[in-house]
Amino acid sequence: MSEHEPVVLGQPTVGDEELAAVAEVFRSGWLAGAGPACRRFEERFAKTVGTAHALTTSNCGSALFLGLRVLGVKPGDEVIVGDYTFPATGHAVLQAGATPVFADIRPDVWSADPASIEALITPRTVGILAVDVAGQPGDFDEYRAIADKHGLWLFEDAACAAGATYKTRPAGSLADLAAFSFHGRKGITAGEGGALVSDREDLIAHARKLHTYGIEPAITREGSGALPIPEFHELGYNFRLSDVQAAIMNVQLDRLPDLLAARRSVAKRYHEAFENLPGIDVPVELPDREHPWQAYILTVAPEIDRDALALRIREQGVQCNFGTYASHLQPIYGKKQTLPVSADLFARHLAIPMHANLTDAQVDRVIGTVSAALPS
Ligand SMILES: *Cc1c(COP(=O)(O)O)cnc(C)c1O
């Protein structure tokens, strides 16, 4: 890669193995969703994330929505949502007809602050939808204690968290349900895609029906010796992952340990370069968690103009961006709340290139560019 080509913020790691897996699906003739490749991936992914069951979905947004549906969320309900996230999280609650109530975040790791959650509970609250921000799991022991105390369910938005752990337990196994994303910006990807995982067979079986228009997928009717004619009892959707995508995901799952190691080594180099630099703080990895480094986000000091800094870095061909969204500030949600920590970090975060293909030379270039762009 030439010195003048931009260093991109995120990039998938895909190649000949994925192409070969896709070719095999072409030969098999089953390109639609909920087929053999999906099944194989679901079994393997459930093992990876430490749950009994997994369902592949078209994306994480549909997995979140299906999860809320099978948990019985309905109009009038309130769901407490970690504020700092891509708004797919809050959108899923609105799509289910309920109201998202956003919880302010921990200033160090940006996941929902347990004290903030507890203060938001009302008689209408039905559950907690907690986000693993940039993939690092939130405080799930504390979330569980609050949920149990108030009779709420707990749902993990693990969109960015494949391969992360919390007290040695894998992300995905930390709540009643968890949703993952396989979008191109996440740690493992088929371009688009998602999964809903749980130990609870009833929830996943119900979601499986809803994700295929409200009936059992065709594969489960094959070879039964009879001519089962499905009946439609419930409004379902087509939220299936295709077998073409599942074949890609099967290869991505094999790559997961290497991809995590590559991201971790980039994070380590950034950390060493930036931890003593005035004007920016490096992201925190808590000692009881393994961060999957879906993103590497610096916090810019209040006296520095984050936007101007970002533009100076971009001018040098190094991509960078804000962190993620303070949901409560998005007009769609009615701007009804004041959450100072999330609002502050939304204005001060700076995401810099993080993916598994970064070369040492590119990491050097990012470090040099960011350091030089900081006001002296
Ligand atoms: C990316 C992301 C989503 C949405 O994932 P899609 O697969 O694009 O639907 C949801 N939540 C979080 C925290 C994300 O980062």
Side-chain angles (χ1 to χ4, degrees), residues 6-10 310 313-314 316-321 351-354 366:
V7 184
V8 299
L9 200 54
I313 295 168
R314 283 185 178 181
Q316 300 304 312
V318 171
Q319 288 188 357
C320 59
N321 213 339
I352 60 173
M354 172 52 87
V366 174

Side-chain angles (χ1 to χ4, degrees), residues 59-61 64 85-86 88-89 131 157 159-160 181-183 186 192-193:
N59 51 59
C60 180
L64 288 166
T85 180
F86 185 79
T89 324
V131 182
D157 181 342
C160 304
S181 174
F182 308 133
H183 177 264
K186 314 299 186 187
E192 302 281 354

Side-chain angles (χ1 to χ4, degrees), residues 245-265:
Q245 293 167 303
I248 296 171
M249 289 312 303
N250 273 313
V251 180
Q252 291 277 294
L253 202 52
D254 294 334
R255 287 190 197 272
L256 180 59
D258 289 346
L259 296 177
L260 289 167
R263 285 173 181 268
R264 171 164 290 276
S265 101

Side-chain angles (χ1 to χ4, degrees), residues 212-333:
T212 194
Y213 287 120
I215 56 173
E216 294 292 344
I219 197 170
T220 61
R221 301 195 298 272
E222 274 192 351
S224 72
L227 183 66
I229 299 174
E231 265 186 312
F232 293 79
H233 294 273
E234 205 179 5
L235 182 62
Y237 311 85
N238 180 351
F239 285 158
R240 291 185 294 261
L241 189 76
S242 81
D243 266 38
V244 179
Q245 293 167 303
I248 296 171
M249 289 312 303
N250 273 313
V251 180
Q252 291 277 294
L253 202 52
D254 294 334
R255 287 190 197 272
L256 180 59
D258 289 346
L259 296 177
L260 289 167
R263 285 173 181 268
R264 171 164 290 276
S265 101
V266 173
K268 188 161 176 280
R269 292 208 48 216
Y270 281 160
H271 199 84
E272 284 162 7
F274 295 135
E275 70 180 329
N276 295 317
L277 213 58
I280 49 175
D281 285 333
V282 295
V284 172
E285 180 181 37
L286 294 173
D288 60 356
R289 295 162 217 202
E290 279 175 289
H291 202 310
W293 299 109
Q294 185 269 334
Y296 191 93
I297 301 173
L298 296 165
T299 306
V300 177
E303 62 276 12
I304 297 176
D305 180 340
R306 186 270 318 264
D307 298 10
L309 174 65
L311 294 178
R312 284 196 296 279
I313 295 168
R314 283 185 178 181
E315 268 167 23
Q316 300 304 312
V318 171
Q319 288 188 357
C320 59
N321 213 339
F322 59 93
T324 187
Y325 296 83
S327 298
H328 75 288
L329 296 178
Q330 303 311 312
I332 175 87
Y333 306 120

